[in-house]
Amino acid sequence: MTIKTTAARPSLWTAVRNINLRAYGMIIALVSIMLLFQVLDVVLQDSNFITPLNLTNVILQNSYILILAIGMMLVIVNGHIDLSVGSVLAFCGAVSAIALSDWGLPWYLAVLVAVGTGALIGVWQGFWIAFVRIPAFIVTLAGMLLFRGLTLKVLGAETVGTSGPYNDLASGYTIAGFDLRMPTLIIGILGAALYVALAVRSRSREVRAGIAGSSQLAWLAKVVVLAAVIVVAAYTFYSYKGLPLIGWILLALVLIYTFIANRTVFGRHIYAGGGNEKAAMLSGVKTKQTSFWVFVNMGALAGLAGVIVTARLQAATPDAGNMFELHAIASSFIGGASMSGGVGTIIGAVIGGLVMGVMNQGMRVLGVATDTVQVVLGLVVLAAVFFDVWNKKRASGPIVGTTPGGSGEAKRKGGGGPDSGPDDDKSKDKKPEPVGAE
Amino acid sequence: MSEDILRMRGITKRFPGVLALDGVDMRVKRGSIHALVGENGAGKSTLMKILSGVYAHGDFEGEIELEGEPARFRNIRDSEDSGVVIIHQELALVPELSIAENIYLGNEQTRRGVISWDRTNTEAARLMGQVGLHDHPQTLVEKIGVGKQQLVEIAKALSKQVKLLILDEPTAALNDSDSENLLELLGQLREDGVTCIIISHKLGEVLAIADEITVLRDGQTIETLDTAGDAVTEDRLIKSMVGRDLAHLYPPHTPDIGETFFEVSDWTVYHPEHRDRVVVNNAALTVARGEIVGLAGLMGAGRTEFAMSVFGRSWGGNITGNVTLDGRRLKLNSVSDAIKAGLAYATEDRKQYGLHLDYDLRENFTLPGLDKVSKNGVIDLHEVTSVSERLRGDFGVKAPSVYQLAGNLSGGNQQKIVLGKWVFTEPELLILDEPTRGIDVGAKYEIYELIQELVDQGKGVLMISSELPELLGMCDRIYAMSAGHITGQVDRENATQEELMRLMTLETASGGEELRQ
């Protein structure tokens, strides 16, 4: 193949082309939105938007959506969808409130009951989806009705109040009486330092092996900006009351799940199964088991989110979590998930959720009516996905080894759509399709 | 009217960073079959996309003259109105619709705005007769084979009053008898006055059917050969396509065959849905270390089904039989069992089943062998990158880096990734299903060399191929399969196309007998 190409002589344009807008675009968008509200607040109300109090509120008010979004991202990456999380959240919250208030269990056991209930629900739904092969849309649509009904049943259409350290999970700033204000600043700075150290180490290993993926300048800019963001965020929370407890929980979840997604065999199998299930299966990935555990995990996270919602309202209510599934799904898509599966990051889902949360908070501070807020958020979801589509087109220019004109085509074929590869046998009854036998 | 139906002059097409076509000239005689050959990436498809209006007038430089008139197509509709119809490699049929509906898709037969099913079906039946398709017009397209689906595409083209028919790799997915049918039909259309341009990698069929052959290389016209006048041979064409002499199509190789280490016996597989249909019937074969064993058969003979059922029961139902490796009986209940036991299966369909096109080389290379780059389920990303870098070099994948997406590479390079990912699992036996399908001559040669290197390391290779010359050129021993039975085997010395074809079409009742002799 001797296609003439400009890749040998990197120009500024190719450098710009190679920037993965998706990776940094969401962070840039989030920061821009915050700055926009800052300007609007100053102009219209002569006040500040970017205040420690407002940022803390964004975390407190969106924490449960973010927890759901983490699980939802894995579900979507694996090529499924979960419409039931709002109802599952309500049911787990209800069970946990009953365990706390009626059975008198200590708060940590009440949390465990919620997470366990959620996981069991995940087992139920995962069984139908992964092993019986009923589409997740159907199974979780049924689950949405089923668990909403069960919530009403266990609560008897009444609310069950909660009290004590249980409620601190959603709004406290201490853990076991230990104030988290100073640790916010210290861990923020240490975290930034650790991040820089890790980045330098992996960069030098790559450079030594001659396999560095990006230019020195781009790498440096990325490291400096991200380290600065960590320090500034830590200082901002520090100047109010410190990062709330739920913020720490979220941080831990993001780190753990990012690690699982990127660095574990199970995580990569989630991606491989969603990106091309048949190829993954023929590569030895136990796709059914993987999907099953993804739903168990989603259930457990919905259980945890149920605890947070209950603790925040200080009561389990029958209509808790209404529409939350759609917010979690929207967060994932704003955060870069692909409808066809295989693509998306944990941090993307969290940032997607934060974009919605910041817009919500910003418009409320400005006194925008709820109806308008909904309209704007709807448009944001559409705009984010449009940006994704546009970015993909931009990135799929011909590269070395590409058949001219065939660029992008391969990607479309890869989607597993009806027009797949050229050497495909189309007749369904002739082509041996792999069947999971594990 | 001039003698040429089509003249293309100085066609130049640029993509960002790539000059795909560089001043291509081409003339096609009225009522002829004109073949367009060249390696993958030579620009054949791009040229045909220009001719059929996929790339609008103004997107490229140069002139097109159709029947002496300058042609300026803005889109496919324009070109079809002028009688130019292209049939792409990926058939554009809707499987869930009937043959008749597909023929008139986008050109529905209506009366006062309402679809006339009567006319649709009768007209479709007439066109189907013209292409030798004798199914009912209301048969769903998904119920007929690929060969017949091609015929539907041609009938669809005829419904548009086609004058110039372009076929992109029409026989790539067809078996020999379907291919023959199709080529015969093209000859018949030629007599009816339809001019055909055919893009094909199969040089044998090109030589058999084409009146003229234009060779493209690196976006330029190399030459146009007249098959009647010039003495054109396959070697002559290959030389022209690759710009160098390929002394032989297959690299020379001295086999060093060791002891038999892999054995399948009494292997019977039923269809996973039609539970009473036997797809593989009491099959048995052996592979020795250092040996390349071929598996020949017509489409539907059960070769892929056999391979996939052995590979951790990834296809089929009610599978019975024994697999032994180094004398040990294997229990393979899943693909991961098979990988652990030392088997690898490189699928015939690399885009759908072989690769993750949206993922980069690193992910593709390491997916089946993630255990080897991880500890306690945690992956060493640095190891992933350096392993991929090594495989990219070893397998000669032409990609700027391991961060390249597999979907952006050509078929030959994709196939090398598939081989690489399986070699990384350190298998003892590799089953290669159509390892060179749809890739160009130069890349084929490299794939052959890689296969020979593997057996020189003492591994065994079972190679499934629909191209008999490839099996004859590469294999030390060849099994033939027909309707689920292994009907016989021939050694390298005794193997001929005729003998293999006889075994491949053998009536199955006596098949088992022949093997035992």
Side-chain angles (χ1 to χ4, degrees):
Chain A
M1 257 130 296
T2 45
I3 288 161
K4 293 151 194 103
T5 168
T6 53
R9 182 176 49 83
S11 65
L12 185 65
W13 173 236
T14 52
V16 172
R17 248 182 125 71
N18 288 338
I19 294 178
N20 186 352
L21 262 188
R22 193 14 112 182
Y24 308 111
M26 287 322 299
I27 298 177
I28 296 167
L30 180 60
V31 172
S32 317
I33 290 168
M34 288 168 71
L35 291 176
L36 174 73
F37 280 114
Q38 171 71 18
V39 171
L40 286 175
D41 273 13
V42 169
V43 171
L44 298 175
Q45 300 185 332
D46 197 21
S47 65
N48 282 320
F49 174 70
I50 303 180
T51 62
L53 174 65
N54 271 343
L55 291 193
T56 304
N57 276 339
V58 167
I59 297 289
L60 290 178
Q61 285 162 9
N62 294 285
S63 51
Y64 33 88
I65 297 291
L66 298 183
I67 293 174
L68 292 177
I70 290 172
M72 188 64 77
M73 186 54 113
L74 294 181
V75 169
I76 292 175
V77 162
N78 197 233
H80 299 289
I81 197 87
D82 193 337
L83 299 175
S84 69
V85 291
S87 299
V88 173
L89 173 151
F91 182 69
C92 294
V95 170
S96 141
I98 290 168
L100 185 81
S101 303
D102 295 0
W103 307 345
L105 292 185
W107 67 270
Y108 49 88
L109 283 185
V111 172
L112 219 60
V113 164
V115 174
T117 308
L120 275 180
I121 292 172
V123 168
W124 160 260
Q125 302 202 115
F127 165 76
W128 292 108
I129 294 162
F131 298 114
V132 190
R133 309 287 283 177
I134 298 176
F137 190 95
I138 310 286
V139 171
T140 59
L141 184 64
M144 181 171 151
L145 300 169
L146 180 61
F147 296 109
R148 181 64 63 189
L150 287 179
T151 309
L152 288 166
K153 224 175 186 61
V154 295
L155 286 178
E158 281 169 25
T159 60
V160 176
T162 59
S163 57
Y166 185 90
N167 289 350
D168 287 346
L169 283 173
S171 46
Y173 295 87
T174 59
I175 181 161
F178 181 69
D179 189 24
L180 290 168
R181 190 166 171 216
M182 205 54 192
T184 303
L185 190 62
I186 296 170
I187 292 182
I189 292 170
L190 287 180
L194 183 69
Y195 165 70
V196 170
L198 285 177
V200 167
R201 193 182 73 138
S202 95
R203 176 75 182 182
S204 65
R205 279 173 86 180
E206 284 183 7
V207 169
R208 230 178 305 133
I211 49 178
S214 55
S215 79
Q216 191 79 20
L217 197 67
W219 173 81
L220 197 68
K222 185 184 96 175
V223 171
V224 168
V225 168
L226 282 182
V229 166
I230 294 171
V231 172
V232 168
Y235 180 77
T236 312
F237 286 113
Y238 166 77
S239 44
Y240 182 58
K241 288 182 183 173
L243 188 63
L245 183 55
I246 182 62
W248 291 100
I249 296 174
L250 266 173
L251 197 61
L253 288 176
V254 168
L255 291 176
I256 292 169
Y257 278 94
T258 299
F259 181 81
I260 291 175
N262 293 340
R263 296 291 303 278
T264 65
V265 172
F266 175 69
R268 295 326 294 169
H269 283 183
I270 295 175
Y271 280 76
N276 183 345
E277 190 186 4
K278 290 163 185 164
M281 196 244 123
L282 280 179
S283 297
V285 175
K286 298 196 165 169
T287 48
K288 290 178 182 176
Q289 276 93 330
T290 310
S291 297
F292 175 76
W293 287 110
V294 164
F295 275 94
V296 172
N297 174 68
M298 179 76 255
L301 284 177
L304 179 61
V307 169
I308 304 301
V309 171
T310 309
R312 184 167 166 74
L313 299 174
Q314 306 191 349
T317 63
D319 62 343
N322 227 346
M323 302 274 283
F324 280 15
E325 58 278 341
L326 298 183
H327 283 124
I329 293 169
S331 300
S332 303
F333 284 126
I334 292 178
S338 154
M339 194 71 208
S340 52
V343 181
T345 57
I346 298 297
I347 192 74
V350 170
I351 290 177
L354 284 176
V355 165
M356 297 225 299
V358 166
M359 300 216 44
N360 211 342
Q361 174 82 359
M363 286 188 281
R364 261 189 223 166
V365 170
L366 284 173
V368 178
T370 322
D371 46 8
T372 317
V373 171
Q374 291 232 358
V375 170
V376 172
L377 287 180
L379 292 174
V380 167
V381 174
L382 192 60
V385 177
F386 166 75
F387 173 75
D388 212 24
V389 171
W390 172 79
N391 190 38
K392 246 187 197 151
K393 268 191 191 156
R394 185 192 73 113
S396 64
I399 318 166
V400 179
T402 308
T403 314
S407 58
E409 210 161 279
K411 293 184 89 171
R412 263 177 278 126
K413 282 172 203 158
D419 62 331
S420 28
D423 27 24
D424 295 337
D425 183 343
K426 290 282 173 166
S427 60
K428 282 180 184 160
D429 54 344
K430 276 197 170 173
K431 182 98 200 172
E433 289 207 10
V435 288
E438 59 269 341
Chain B
M1 284 213 276
S2 76
E3 196 197 10
D4 291 337
I5 187 167
L6 173 76
R7 281 192 200 134
M8 299 177 88
R9 264 196 304 271
I11 306 287
T12 299
K13 170 77 184 164
R14 284 187 183 82
F15 293 104
V18 180
L19 185 62
L21 292 176
D22 185 7
V24 168
D25 295 322
M26 182 169 170
R27 331 170 100 203
V28 178
K29 288 206 182 81
R30 183 184 306 281
S32 69
I33 295 179
H34 195 109
L36 188 58
V37 300
E39 286 192 280
N40 284 352
K44 302 168 305 227
S45 294
T46 309
L47 187 66
M48 289 304 106
K49 280 180 181 165
I50 283 175
L51 177 55
S52 57
V54 175
Y55 299 126
H57 177 79
D59 271 7
F60 57 90
E61 294 157 36
E63 290 163 38
I64 304 175
E65 242 177 54
L66 195 67
E67 302 196 273
E69 303 280 320
R72 295 192 176 140
F73 302 136
R74 281 162 302 167
N75 49 42
I76 300 179
R77 256 232 134 89
D78 274 4
S79 66
E80 287 185 351
D81 288 346
S82 308
V84 178
V85 179
I86 184 162
I87 298 178
H88 291 282
Q89 215 169 356
E90 310 92 49
L91 301 183
L93 298 175
V94 184
E96 291 82 5
L97 297 184
S98 72
I99 296 175
E101 280 173 279
N102 268 289
I103 290 176
Y104 285 107
L105 193 64
N107 177 24
E108 283 77 7
Q109 298 298 295
T110 55
R111 281 180 90 153
R112 290 187 223 103
V114 179
I115 291 185
S116 161
W117 289 113
D118 218 26
R119 197 160 83 202
T120 304
N121 287 324
T122 50
E123 282 297 296
R126 186 180 59 78
L127 292 168
M128 285 162 66
Q130 217 174 326
V131 298
L133 187 58
H134 301 295
D135 290 74
H136 194 276
Q138 287 178 6
T139 311
L140 297 189
V141 161
E142 64 185 356
K143 302 277 182 213
I144 62 177
V146 184
K148 288 183 174 177
Q149 290 180 3
Q150 276 285 3
L151 299 180
V152 174
E153 280 274 16
I154 293 174
K156 186 175 173 182
L158 292 177
S159 80
K160 294 170 185 162
Q161 313 298 327
V162 62
K163 290 178 203 148
L164 180 59
L165 180 64
I166 306 164
L167 299 118
D168 190 354
E169 294 276 0
T171 60
L174 302 190
N175 63 30
D176 285 351
S177 62
D178 279 348
S179 297
E180 236 168 78
N181 266 341
L182 183 78
L183 297 178
E184 218 168 279
L185 174 63
L186 294 187
Q188 206 180 304
L189 289 177
R190 169 170 57 186
E191 276 161 34
D192 297 343
V194 177
T195 311
C196 285
I197 299 179
I198 172 171
I199 298 179
S200 181
H201 279 304
K202 298 186 181 169
L203 300 182
E205 75 184 28
V206 163
L207 287 170
I209 189 167
D211 301 307
E212 284 187 311
I213 303 171
T214 295
V215 183
L216 286 188
R217 190 205 313 152
D218 300 341
Q220 292 176 325
T221 313
I222 300 305
E223 57 187 343
T224 295
L225 301 162
D226 183 345
T227 51
D230 306 327
V232 190
T233 62
E234 253 181 73
D235 287 346
R236 169 81 180 71
L237 271 182
I238 290 167
K239 192 178 156 190
S240 175
M241 280 163 60
V242 300
R244 60 180 187 272
D245 252 317
L246 272 184
H248 301 285
L249 282 175
Y250 306 97
H253 182 235
T254 320
D256 176 18
I257 296 173
E259 62 194 271
T260 298
F261 77 110
F262 179 78
E263 199 171 346
V264 181
S265 56
D266 305 328
W267 199 254
T268 300
V269 181
Y270 288 82
H271 196 279
E273 278 129 41
H274 315 286
R275 292 272 170 181
D276 52 344
R277 212 167 100 197
V278 186
V279 181
V280 178
N281 197 337
N282 209 15
L285 55 73
T286 62
V287 181
R289 292 199 177 275
E291 188 181 34
I292 304 175
V293 175
L295 186 55
L298 297 171
M299 200 173 264
R303 295 166 299 163
T304 296
E305 290 84 347
F306 169 77
M308 286 176 72
S309 60
V310 169
F311 188 59
R313 297 169 187 262
S314 50
W315 189 89
N318 194 12
I319 300 166
T320 53
N322 298 322
V323 182
T324 56
L325 196 142
D326 285 331
R328 221 159 25 87
R329 205 181 143 183
L330 301 180
K331 272 193 80 118
L332 309 172
N333 288 321
S334 70
V335 172
S336 56
D337 285 354
I339 294 173
K340 278 191 203 106
L343 302 191
Y345 168 71
T347 165
E348 61 176 330
D349 187 343
R350 41 176 188 271
K351 283 176 200 276
Q352 274 208 70
Y353 301 159
L355 290 173
H356 282 76
L357 297 176
D358 283 341
Y359 291 171
D360 62 19
L361 265 58
R362 296 176 310 150
E363 306 244 14
N364 277 295
F365 271 135
T366 54
L367 182 60
L370 271 183
D371 297 350
K372 295 195 192 305
V373 288
S374 58
K375 223 185 202 170
N376 303 325
V378 176
I379 300 168
D380 183 344
L381 287 183
H382 181 258
E383 188 65 16
V384 167
T385 310
S386 56
V387 158
S388 308
E389 197 64 45
R390 183 172 49 92
L391 288 170
R392 180 172 75 104
D394 287 356
F395 284 82
V397 179
K398 290 183 191 90
S401 81
V402 291
Y403 300 96
Q404 183 67 261
L405 299 186
N408 285 340
L409 301 179
S410 67
N413 282 310
Q414 288 179 351
Q415 188 65 32
K416 290 176 194 165
I417 300 175
V418 172
L419 281 183
K421 87 178 207 180
W422 286 114
V423 168
F424 181 57
T425 65
E426 297 174 0
E428 296 301 315
L429 178 88
L430 279 98
I431 307 173
L432 307 177
D433 199 347
E434 305 283 1
T436 65
R437 176 181 279 179
I439 66 182
D440 61 62
V441 178
K444 270 186 189 176
Y445 195 86
E446 292 174 62
I447 299 276
Y448 295 146
E449 284 180 322
L450 290 170
I451 294 172
Q452 292 175 345
E453 265 170 50
L454 288 173
V455 292
D456 288 345
Q457 294 161 15
K459 301 181 191 303
V461 167
L462 178 64
M463 182 164 148
I464 299 173
S465 176
S466 293
E467 288 183 43
L468 293 181
E470 176 172 278
L471 289 175
L472 296 170
M474 286 294 295
C475 298
D476 303 310
R477 200 152 52 86
I478 304 170
Y479 288 96
M481 211 169 171
S482 170
H485 291 269
I486 288 190
T487 49
Q489 58 166 308
V490 284
D491 293 338
R492 177 172 213 126
E493 292 75 36
N494 305 323
T496 59
Q497 294 211 32
E498 292 71 26
E499 174 62 10
L500 280 176
M501 196 45 101
R502 188 184 72 79
L503 292 171
M504 282 156 60
T505 52
L506 207 64
E507 288 300 320
T508 52
S510 64
E513 307 295 319
E514 192 130 344
L515 185 68
R516 253 168 254 139
Q517 283 169 11

